[in-house]
Amino acid sequence: MMGMGIGMDEGDILLLIRRIALRNAVEHDGKARADKVTAKIIAMRPDLRGSVKILIPTIAGVVEEINRLSIDEQRSELEVIEPSMMREGRVESEAEHKQHVLPPLPNAVMGSVVTRFPPEPNGYPHIGHAKAVIIDEEYARMYRGRFILRFDDTNPAKEKREYYDAILDGLRWLNVKPDLIKNTSDDIELLYKYAELLVEVDGAYVCTCKPDTIKRNRASGIECECRSLGRDEHMERWSKMFNEYRPNQAILRFKGDMRSSNTVMRDPTLFRIIEHEHPLKGNRYRVWPTYDFAASIEDSIDGVTHALRSKEYELRNELYYAILDRLGMRKPIVLEFSRLEFEGMPVSKRRIVPLIEKGLVRGWDDPRLPTLVALRRRGIQPEAVREFVLSLGFTKADTKPPFEVLEAINRKVIDAHAIRLFMVRKDDCIRLKVRELNKHNTDMMRREDGGSDISTIVVRIRNHPTNDALGSREVRVGDEFYVPLSDVRDAIGREIRLIDLYNVMIESRDDDGRRGEGYEHVVYARFTGYEVKDVKKVQWVSVDDAIDGVVLVPRQLYIDDSYNAESLETVHAYVESYASKVAIGSIVQFVRFGFCRVDAPAVFIMSHK
Ligand SMILES: [Zn+2]
């Protein structure tokens, strides 16, 4: 209980941990899960995220303690410390719980809610997009409504075909299924009509002032002369935007309030001239709407009832509603949620693209990035992303949880399906030679050639301690092994167990003879038996079965806002040859190292411990 070392209301925190762990246990047949409890605590108390590493052992202890109680004991304690969690003597159902994570939408009618996810195809989708799209889809399903994916592709200078595909691919990976997929660029001529309508009702005007002047006037709240010209003049100027004016010579501006305290309302741009080939429309158009104009009109005509967007757009809501008001169009309800990003991992393309260009990361799928392709490549599972997003809930407070929270959820998802393999790092490796092994024989071994020489045998090892469906593998074993130097360095004269094989007595270390490459010293050992004993367990890779493997270990990309030059470690290791037979994309667990995704034959990316 004492010494969590977070120097704050420890008593309150312990009570919170206990309450959440109890609730989690009661909801899951008496078994709480430490990762879920951790995620929930961080969601409820974002101020604790910096202390999560200190809290994890405490949480694990509380969870263990609670899991030893009977479910009735758990239930009655929960009733005492949090009666509101019990509904008429029972704990709320999963669906009710989800309603707490995602609170009911205002004015939502079952069967007619429409949500949308409107990404601009100007980069690869990242964890922040995952949050938006998952919440949008969950709400649509919760109300048996519809969910639209709309590419907001109205800035051709920044958009690429590659990014449309990346977004579709990311959503497919997350198992998000839109009911409708559309592009704002398909509606561009309709958007022109709304622009003209807006000019007609004196809601917009074409400004031909210089960009510098516009900027200065907006800052000081001064109206320009264009604003007071007549409607016919603006209609004419508008038509000249399509063929006469050069880029930056004219923009269509909303007639807002140049003295508004919300600077967004100071006659913002609605359309501008961009001469750039569009990834879908080619060179057919040169007048393109801004996000502000396109989003409000599109949401309204698409039937969106609840427009969810991240909090950074909060100041733009006034404009969103004002455009629709001026046009007399139906207004969706706009709701904000907090952005999601990880500590030390940039999400914005403005920061990622220069990293790629300078070669500081190896592309959008570099495992140090929070893009969906990178998370996937690192071995994070889409179910874990969804669970993680929902565990944080629909909060307005900004969330920057440590990556460890996602790792903890992911570990639970992959643990039962990851093949356990041995590996020995080359920077911590020694050869172990078993003398006179030929004298011994055993049931567990079968000779490879049917003869009596067992200098090379084949052993069968289970691929997972509990999941039989993962099968087993055959390993060729001679009398030499690679073992971790740190495990045997101080073991001279002691017995150790080669895991899943047999026991040996370490007899001597020969640093002088047979020195191959620098790490290849030898220790000699003597076979002592098969029975599992209480001795040090050491993993091994048979020299007869070893292949060279490479493991990339991603670490936090930025530390205190500066690039971490050591953010990607390359570990060279001996691994079992079976590792090269595991399908690319599968997850393996290297014993005492961590979970890794198979990235290429004999190349692995570490997911997490
Ligand atoms: Zn002007």
Side-chain angles (χ1 to χ4, degrees), residues 205-209 214 224-227 237 253:
Y205 63 99
V206 176
C207 173
T208 55
C209 297
I214 295 174
C224 72
E225 283 166 14
C226 316
R227 201 181 204 266
R237 285 182 171 196
R253 298 177 71 178

Side-chain angles (χ1 to χ4, degrees), residues 47-98:
D47 58 301
L48 291 179
R49 67 186 164 79
S51 319
V52 76
K53 281 186 182 153
I54 301 165
L55 285 172
I56 280 172
T58 310
I59 293 168
V62 172
V63 163
E64 210 181 312
E65 202 177 303
I66 282 168
N67 287 350
R68 278 199 293 268
L69 302 174
S70 76
I71 194 154
D72 286 333
E73 289 168 323
Q74 292 168 347
R75 209 171 260 140
S76 49
E77 189 184 337
L78 187 59
E79 251 165 339
V80 173
I81 67 173
E82 188 158 7
S84 63
M85 278 192 183
M86 309 296 287
R87 302 260 162 100
E88 296 159 13
R90 68 185 176 85
V91 167
E92 60 183 14
S93 68
E94 281 285 332
E96 286 167 325
H97 177 63
K98 206 170 241 181

Side-chain angles (χ1 to χ4, degrees), residues 8-9 12-13 16 40-49:
M8 44 199 306
D9 46 347
D12 288 353
I13 294 164
L16 179 71
K40 187 79 192 168
I41 286 164
I42 298 302
M44 293 177 73
R45 289 281 306 267
D47 58 301
L48 291 179
R49 67 186 164 79

